[in-house]
């Protein structure tokens, strides 16, 4: 009845000759030259969207916390463009129970191929040229890496367990069998059953109250790529903060989150004034438990955010501006595949900076730009200036696309756009960007497509512009071009003045630090001397209370400075931070510092052993590699 074939020929089957008239068949003609073509231009999907592409998903799911499992049906509406006899989906870590084909739910035939590293398993379902519906009945497993199941002890309120997903880059396939490529968009409806007293939320039209029967219906009527599929389930409450903005959080975190993000509506209004209407209806933020591996994830209508941006003084809310900006750059106009990731992130850092400038002023935005520059320099030095990893356009075929999620896409991308802005003038650039977002709304964009578009629509307007910018050098060459804009920040210059005083012997308590924002403190911490004595660290800590700071950015920057100098007083705080916080941006530099202090990695591994169960799979993968975890 259900055919499940594993074949040793899976590799051969991925190589299709260019003249294959019969789809799915491997042709071999001895005397004709074989042209090997990729199935698709996205190296990270098995799908062949040029033949059969998904259009709409109806997802029915039961979220079972007892077994840490989602039991679900993915009903896909497909478009068969070529009369193909099979449709291909991406899956990873899923147990496929059976599939049905057509409106009458007739049992179908499928092949689930052996797993390929990073990519997962290709799911091939047999169809006819007229098939419009394919249903996949399946369940998630402990290898469904997008999902993090938290016990109630791992939440803020400790009353209910919690579940959240992180689908980007290619983890949507670990909880929904799908065509997992950012170049493929679909609409979706979902019906999700969760335990009583818990709320379910998705990247969709969301509820604001808990349903007594635990059943929730969702709708996303705009086509989105699979990496924006998101689900969260927990004891969650909602509060509106503006016309079309609101916050979801665990009850004990709600008031604090609302206070922190009170400028959110102003951010949305500023963003709309810059680049046109917000097209997704509501903009809400869900504050997650601290194990969330990223700062934020721009799931449409519902940004997922780390609680580590709750600093108590709104000083880390540029992250919200960033995720909001993705509603245009990324969610509306999407990178075609993960080699074009800078089109999502470089644009978003630029847009984020413009929103921050609008809401908090130019000197504030300049500090953020300089922090971005420091991150970029550090990453470039880490990779080496000649490393292909420092190119904007990447080649991630055969690698985990997560490898491309570095500061290069974000900060080198930002500086390229800043250069274009300075070259053509802000007014001209803004009008170009607005038209760009409009023209390609709900579409995907390749690097080459963008280069052709901007050359035609903007840079050819004046003869010297193309040469002044030199897009090719920025995009296709490694390193940082000479014409990278220089940002000047008066506020950072003042910080540098105080650092000079400190180094020439002035006591920390004598420094002029009043009214410093988090960013000035970060600039101060990052530029402290590499080597410090115990007495110096104690004096700084006594005066400024770094080890006891409630601000995670300050804590992380301080730890990175003092760990190599063996500052014993901070050890308990470092351990407790690493055990409770799962945000990879902090984990990587802190563990690296621990390794610098103890190259045997023993100290780092001792803490990691306790912390690892609290981390999401994407953080675990990075830290496992860093600490050689699986080799022991
Ligand atoms: Zn982003």
């Amino acid at each position: 009845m259900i055919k499940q074939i594993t074949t040793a020929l899976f590799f051969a089957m991925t190589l299709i000759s260019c003249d294959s008239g019969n789809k799915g068949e491997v042709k071999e003609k001895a005397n004709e030259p074989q042209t090997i073509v990729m199935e698709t231009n996205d190296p990270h999907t098995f799908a062949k969207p040029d033949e059969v592409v998904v259009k709409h998903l109806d997802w029915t799911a039961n979220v079972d916390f007892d077994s840490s499992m989602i039991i679900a049906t993915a009903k896909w509406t497909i478009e068969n463009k070529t009369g193909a006899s099979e449709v291909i989906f991406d899956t990873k870590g899923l147990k496929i129970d059976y599939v049905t084909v057509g409106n009458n739910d007739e049992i179908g035939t499928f092949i689930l191929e052996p797993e390929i590293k990073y990519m997962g398993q290709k799911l091939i379902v047999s169809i006819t040229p007229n098939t419009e519906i394919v249903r996949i009945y399946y369940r998630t497993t402990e290898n469904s890496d997008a999902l993090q199941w938290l016990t109630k002890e791992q939440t803020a309120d400790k009353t209910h367990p919690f579940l959240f997903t992180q689908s980007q880059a290619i983890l949507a396939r670990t909880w929904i069998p799908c065509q997992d490529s950012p170049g493929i968009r679909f609409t979706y409806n979902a019906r999700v059953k969760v335990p009583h007293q818990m709320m379910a939320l998705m990247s969709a039209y969301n509820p604001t109250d808990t349903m007594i029967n635990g059943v929730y219906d969702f709708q996303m009527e705009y086509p989105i790529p699979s990496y924006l599929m998101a689900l969260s389930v927990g004891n969650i409450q909602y509060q509106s903060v503006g016309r079309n903005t609101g916050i979801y959080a665990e009850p004990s975190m709600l008031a604090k989150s609302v206070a922190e993000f009170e400028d959110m509506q102003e951010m949305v209004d500023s963003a709309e004034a810059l680049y046109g209407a917000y097209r997704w209806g509501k903009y809400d933020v869900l504050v997650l438990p601290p194990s969330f591996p990223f700062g934020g994830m721009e799931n449409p209508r519902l940004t997922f955010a780390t609680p580590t941006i709750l600093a108590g003084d709104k000083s880390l809310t540029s992250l919200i501006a960033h995720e909001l900006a993705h509603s245009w750059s990324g969610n509306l106009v999407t990178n075609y595949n993960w080699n074009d990731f800078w089109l999502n992130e470089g644009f978003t850092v630029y847009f984020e900076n413009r929103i921050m400038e609008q809401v908090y002023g130019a000197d504030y935005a300049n500090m953020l730009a300089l922090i971005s520059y420091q991150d970029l320099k550090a990453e470039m030095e880490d990779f080496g200036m000649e490393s292909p990893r420092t190119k904007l356009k990447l080649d991630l075929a055969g690698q985990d696309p997560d490898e491309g999620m570095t500061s290069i896409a974000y900060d080198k991308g930002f500086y390229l756009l800043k250069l274009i802005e300075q070259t053509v003038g802000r007014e001209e650039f803004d009008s170009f960007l607005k038209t760009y977002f409009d023209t390609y709304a709900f579409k995907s964009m390749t690097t080459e497509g963008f280069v052709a578009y901007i050359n035609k629509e903007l840079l050819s307007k004046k003869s010297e512009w193309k040469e002044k910018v030199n897009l090719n050098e920025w995009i296709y060459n490694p390193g940082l071009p000479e014409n990278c804009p220089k940002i000047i920040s008066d506020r950072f210059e003042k910080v540098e003045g105080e650092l000079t005083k400190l180094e020439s012997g002035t006591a920390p308590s004598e420094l002029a630090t009043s009214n410093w924002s988090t960013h000035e403190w970060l600039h101060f911490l990052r530029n402290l001397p590499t080597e410090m004595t115990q007495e110096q660290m104690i004096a700084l800590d006594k005066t400024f209370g770094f080890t006891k700071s409630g601000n995670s950015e300050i804590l992380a920057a301080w730890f990175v400075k003092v760990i190599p100098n063996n500052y014993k007083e901070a050890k308990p705080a470092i351990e407790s931070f690493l055990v409770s916080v799962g945000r990879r941006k902090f984990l990587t530099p802190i563990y690296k510092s621990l390794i610098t202090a103890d190259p045997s990695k023993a100290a780092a591994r001792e803490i990691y052993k306790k912390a690892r169960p609290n981390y999401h799979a994407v953080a675990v993968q990075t830290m496992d590699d860093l600490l050689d975890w699986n080799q022991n």
Side-chain angles (χ1 to χ4, degrees):
M1 192 165 78
I2 301 161
K3 202 165 86 183
Q4 183 160 338
I5 303 168
T6 52
T7 167
L9 290 171
F10 69 92
F11 194 69
M13 290 173 72
T14 63
L15 306 172
I16 309 282
S17 65
C18 65
D19 62 344
S20 63
N22 298 323
K23 302 298 167 194
E25 187 181 312
V26 182
K27 284 197 167 183
E28 287 197 31
K29 293 178 188 168
N31 298 324
E32 285 181 22
Q34 291 282 304
T35 308
I36 306 299
V37 294
M38 292 296 293
E39 288 175 325
T40 151
N41 293 323
D42 179 356
H44 294 110
T45 182
F46 292 118
K48 297 180 191 172
D50 292 340
E51 296 179 10
V52 187
V53 70
V54 298
K55 287 290 169 190
H56 178 79
L57 169 67
D58 285 289
W59 192 61
T60 316
N62 188 357
V63 178
D64 182 21
F65 279 90
D66 293 333
S67 59
S68 298
M69 191 190 283
I70 299 175
I71 300 122
T73 308
K75 176 189 167 193
W76 284 105
T77 305
I78 58 172
E79 182 190 342
N80 190 341
K81 296 175 174 174
T82 57
S85 59
E86 59 186 38
V87 52
I88 296 169
F89 298 95
D90 297 297
T91 79
K92 190 171 183 227
L94 295 180
K95 164 91 171 61
I96 308 295
D97 293 326
Y98 59 101
V99 306
T100 70
V101 175
N103 281 318
N104 298 330
D105 225 2
E106 285 176 23
I107 293 294
T109 307
F110 71 95
I111 300 170
L112 190 61
E113 293 193 343
E115 176 146 354
I116 292 177
K117 199 173 182 191
Y118 309 127
M119 298 281 287
Q121 293 178 276
K122 183 198 271 192
L123 173 66
I124 306 166
V125 179
S126 299
I127 54 170
T128 69
N130 299 322
T131 305
E132 288 176 355
I133 302 289
V134 171
R135 288 182 179 83
I136 304 161
Y137 295 80
Y138 71 100
R139 55 199 66 215
T140 62
T141 71
E142 59 181 15
N143 296 320
S144 294
D145 283 346
L147 308 177
Q148 191 172 10
W149 301 89
L150 300 174
T151 63
K152 57 186 181 185
E153 290 75 23
Q154 290 171 305
T155 66
D157 286 14
K158 311 201 187 310
T159 58
H160 294 74
F162 204 101
L163 167 68
F164 67 81
T165 62
Q166 169 54 40
S167 296
Q168 196 182 26
I170 54 169
L171 297 180
R173 65 189 67 178
T174 72
W175 64 289
I176 301 173
C178 59
Q179 294 190 329
D180 201 3
S181 168
I184 301 172
R185 308 179 85 92
F186 55 90
T187 52
Y188 77 87
N189 292 337
R191 168 161 288 195
V192 181
K193 171 100 173 66
V194 303
H196 296 298
Q197 298 176 340
M198 294 180 84
M199 188 186 274
L201 300 168
M202 292 190 80
S203 49
Y205 186 83
N206 274 306
T208 52
D209 287 311
T210 306
M211 303 298 285
I212 293 178
N213 63 1
V215 177
Y216 296 85
D217 288 310
F218 300 94
Q219 195 187 9
M220 172 43 79
E221 68 271 35
Y222 303 107
I224 61 166
S226 54
Y227 78 89
L228 296 176
M229 290 300 296
L231 171 71
S232 191
V233 181
N235 178 24
I236 299 166
Q237 288 180 353
Y238 177 76
Q239 191 173 324
S240 165
V241 294
R243 175 174 51 84
N244 64 336
T245 49
I247 307 288
Y248 290 91
E250 288 186 69
S252 72
M253 300 291 282
L254 190 58
K256 193 179 172 189
S257 305
V258 166
E260 196 81 29
F261 304 140
E262 67 176 2
D263 298 333
M264 224 162 84
Q265 188 65 51
E266 197 183 339
M267 286 182 180
V268 173
D269 296 345
S270 300
E272 289 195 302
L274 280 168
Y275 300 126
Y278 176 77
R279 304 218 192 188
W280 305 88
K282 285 193 74 188
Y283 179 74
D284 294 325
V285 171
L286 167 64
V287 179
L288 288 165
S291 67
F292 188 58
F294 295 127
M297 178 63 212
E298 64 269 23
N299 298 314
R301 280 192 185 150
L302 184 66
T303 285
F304 282 18
T306 169
T308 61
I309 53 168
L310 301 172
D313 60 1
K314 302 195 278 183
S315 59
L316 302 178
T317 51
S318 62
L319 185 128
I320 299 298
H322 180 95
E323 304 311 329
L324 168 66
H326 270 306
S327 308
W328 287 260
S329 44
N331 298 4
L332 200 59
V333 183
T334 308
N335 52 207
Y336 179 72
N337 69 39
W338 299 115
N339 294 329
D340 305 309
F341 187 50
W342 77 277
L343 289 178
N344 272 18
E345 295 303 342
F347 279 69
T348 298
V349 175
Y350 176 81
F351 195 168
E352 162 202 340
N353 199 265
R354 295 293 303 277
I355 296 171
M356 293 307 281
E357 181 184 316
Q358 201 94 341
V359 179
Y360 300 105
D363 62 340
Y364 195 96
N366 282 344
M367 289 195 292
L368 294 172
L370 273 170
I371 296 268
S372 160
Y373 186 76
Q374 291 171 3
D375 290 342
L376 178 59
K377 287 289 269 191
E379 194 88 296
M380 288 225 173
E381 276 156 23
D382 201 29
F383 292 154
M385 293 306 240
E386 289 303 312
S387 164
R389 296 190 73 186
T390 65
K391 296 177 185 178
L392 282 177
K393 169 83 182 191
L394 296 170
D395 180 9
L396 296 166
Q399 298 174 55
D400 188 338
D402 206 41
E403 294 287 321
M405 300 194 164
T406 71
S407 170
I408 305 302
Y410 292 76
D411 300 311
K412 189 178 176 185
F414 165 72
Y415 273 94
L416 169 57
L417 296 188
K418 194 81 197 160
L419 172 67
I420 300 171
E421 177 212 289
Q422 289 184 355
T423 305
V424 307
R426 194 170 254 202
E427 209 176 315
E428 191 84 47
F429 191 47
D430 280 353
S431 134
F432 164 79
L433 281 180
K434 202 171 169 183
T435 311
Y436 170 69
F437 291 135
D438 262 351
T439 308
Y440 294 99
F442 303 107
K443 293 192 174 74
S444 53
M445 178 55 76
T446 61
T447 298
E448 292 66 33
F450 173 72
V451 168
Y453 181 76
I454 193 170
N455 275 334
K456 180 163 173 282
E457 300 297 327
L458 183 66
L459 296 181
S460 58
K461 284 189 178 177
K462 273 212 181 128
S463 54
E464 70 270 25
W465 283 354
K466 266 190 201 171
E467 206 179 312
K468 262 191 159 172
V469 172
N470 197 351
L471 277 179
N472 281 350
E473 188 190 1
W474 274 86
I475 294 171
Y476 299 108
N477 288 0
L480 193 59
E482 287 282 305
N483 61 354
C484 182
K486 306 270 177 292
I487 309 277
I488 292 164
S489 161
D490 297 343
R491 289 171 69 170
F492 275 7
E493 281 175 5
K494 284 187 189 135
V495 173
E496 286 153 23
E498 298 308 305
L499 278 162
T500 310
K501 282 195 216 160
L502 180 74
E503 279 179 58
S504 53
T506 306
S509 54
E510 304 288 307
L511 299 178
T513 62
S514 59
N515 299 322
W516 276 10
S517 71
T518 299
H519 312 294
E520 281 139 324
W521 282 115
L522 283 179
H523 193 57
F524 180 80
L525 287 165
R526 286 175 170 200
N527 289 289
L528 281 173
T530 311
E531 283 177 24
M532 289 183 285
T533 63
Q534 294 294 316
E535 292 70 34
Q536 285 172 324
M537 292 184 287
I538 288 168
L540 283 166
D541 209 6
K542 217 174 147 191
T543 311
F544 302 123
F546 294 132
T547 303
K548 282 185 260 161
S549 172
N551 184 314
S552 54
E553 291 278 358
I554 287 175
L555 275 177
W558 171 242
F559 292 159
V560 165
K561 276 288 168 185
V562 299
I563 288 169
N565 289 303
N566 197 22
Y567 181 51
K568 294 188 182 64
E569 277 73 4
K571 279 190 175 164
I574 292 163
E575 179 167 332
S576 108
F577 185 85
L578 288 175
V579 169
S580 61
V581 173
R583 187 175 172 192
R584 189 168 62 174
K585 173 189 165 182
F586 297 139
L587 302 185
T588 305
I590 296 176
Y591 279 111
K592 277 187 179 169
S593 300
L594 287 166
I595 296 170
T596 307
D598 170 13
S600 81
K601 303 190 180 180
R605 289 164 55 91
E606 199 180 309
I607 298 177
Y608 186 54
K609 193 176 174 186
K610 290 179 217 165
R612 194 172 180 274
N614 293 331
Y615 296 162
H616 183 275
V618 304
V620 165
Q621 192 183 322
T622 309
M623 299 312 134
D624 278 0
D625 288 348
L626 189 63
L627 299 168
D628 311 323
W629 190 253
N630 291 321
Q631 290 164 24
N632 291 272

